[in-house]
Amino acid sequence: MIKLFPSKQVQEYLDEIHFTFTDFEKATLIWNNHLTTKEEKLIALKEMMNSTKDEMLKKQIYERLDYEQKVYVDFMDDADDEYVYSIENSLGFARCKKAKDAIEYCLKLSNAELEKVTIVKHEAKDLFHIDEEDIVARADFNEKDTFNKLGYKAKINTHTTSYIN
């Protein structure tokens, strides 16, 4: 389970005053924890969904997990050959036609180059004509996560910045 507070002093104080959070408050703290990976958050939320008695919270967590899965599938969908993935970091950028190729490119970067890497999915037919208006989704590449869906040792944290139907 994710530590709800990184501060040992805060945790000790809450224990001392016998303060307990509701499951909803715990779920909120888990989701907004910036010191954990998205994968860790999703695992913790799934565990909470399976253990809580709060039916509304179960529904809300299920909807979040379902949404995150759909965003992941959508980000990885490059079968129509209508997308270009650009890899952006402090040293410049690269472009690929397949999500898998973009991820493999990121895995070859050094630790310094990986410090802040973003993979951007563009709606475009070729590698050379992409604009800000073409952005479908953006994903931060995080080497601490596990990209286990493709068997890699790194993961992208996917979040949709705009969605084009």
Side-chain angles (χ1 to χ4, degrees), residues 50-62:
N50 293 331
S51 65
T52 187
K53 291 177 175 57
D54 183 338
E55 292 301 320
M56 178 59 80
L57 181 59
K58 282 183 182 185
K59 181 179 185 274
Q60 291 171 330
I61 292 173
Y62 176 82

Side-chain angles (χ1 to χ4, degrees), residues 12-52:
E12 287 173 355
Y13 174 73
L14 293 172
D15 292 342
E16 181 181 309
I17 65 169
H18 306 290
F19 187 86
T20 57
F21 291 97
T22 66
D23 285 347
F24 180 82
E25 291 168 331
K26 290 176 187 175
T28 301
L29 289 168
I30 289 168
W31 185 251
N32 291 301
N33 185 331
H34 297 289
L35 300 175
T36 60
T37 64
K38 182 175 260 185
E39 184 177 18
E40 291 168 331
K41 292 176 190 181
L42 295 175
I43 289 168
L45 288 174
K46 187 173 184 179
E47 289 171 0
M48 179 167 286
M49 182 181 73
N50 293 331
S51 65
T52 187

Side-chain angles (χ1 to χ4, degrees), residues 2-134:
I2 292 175
K3 286 179 75 172
L4 297 179
F5 295 98
S7 168
K8 184 178 177 184
Q9 292 82 8
V10 170
Q11 187 61 55
E12 287 173 355
Y13 174 73
L14 293 172
D15 292 342
E16 181 181 309
I17 65 169
H18 306 290
F19 187 86
T20 57
F21 291 97
T22 66
D23 285 347
F24 180 82
E25 291 168 331
K26 290 176 187 175
T28 301
L29 289 168
I30 289 168
W31 185 251
N32 291 301
N33 185 331
H34 297 289
L35 300 175
T36 60
T37 64
K38 182 175 260 185
E39 184 177 18
E40 291 168 331
K41 292 176 190 181
L42 295 175
I43 289 168
L45 288 174
K46 187 173 184 179
E47 289 171 0
M48 179 167 286
M49 182 181 73
N50 293 331
S51 65
T52 187
K53 291 177 175 57
D54 183 338
E55 292 301 320
M56 178 59 80
L57 181 59
K58 282 183 182 185
K59 181 179 185 274
Q60 291 171 330
I61 292 173
Y62 176 82
E63 288 172 355
R64 170 51 61 180
L65 296 174
D66 186 55
Y67 170 79
E68 292 297 327
Q69 179 62 27
K70 287 177 182 173
V71 168
Y72 170 80
V73 168
D74 183 55
F75 188 83
M76 296 304 294
D77 179 21
D78 55 23
D80 296 335
D81 213 26
E82 295 178 2
Y83 302 103
V84 170
Y85 294 83
S86 62
I87 300 99
E88 303 168 356
N89 68 5
S90 59
L91 301 175
F93 67 92
R95 294 182 180 157
C96 304
K97 285 295 284 179
K98 300 286 182 193
K100 183 179 175 182
D101 294 339
I103 293 161
E104 287 177 359
Y105 177 88
C106 290
L107 289 170
K108 292 177 184 174
L109 297 173
S110 69
N111 287 341
E113 294 169 322
L114 269 176
E115 186 143 330
K116 177 67 174 142
V117 175
T118 301
I119 301 174
V120 181
K121 182 177 183 179
H122 302 268
E123 189 171 48
K125 292 285 185 193
D126 65 70
L127 296 172
F128 306 105
H129 299 93
I130 58 174
D131 296 311
E132 280 294 311
E133 302 90 48
D134 299 331

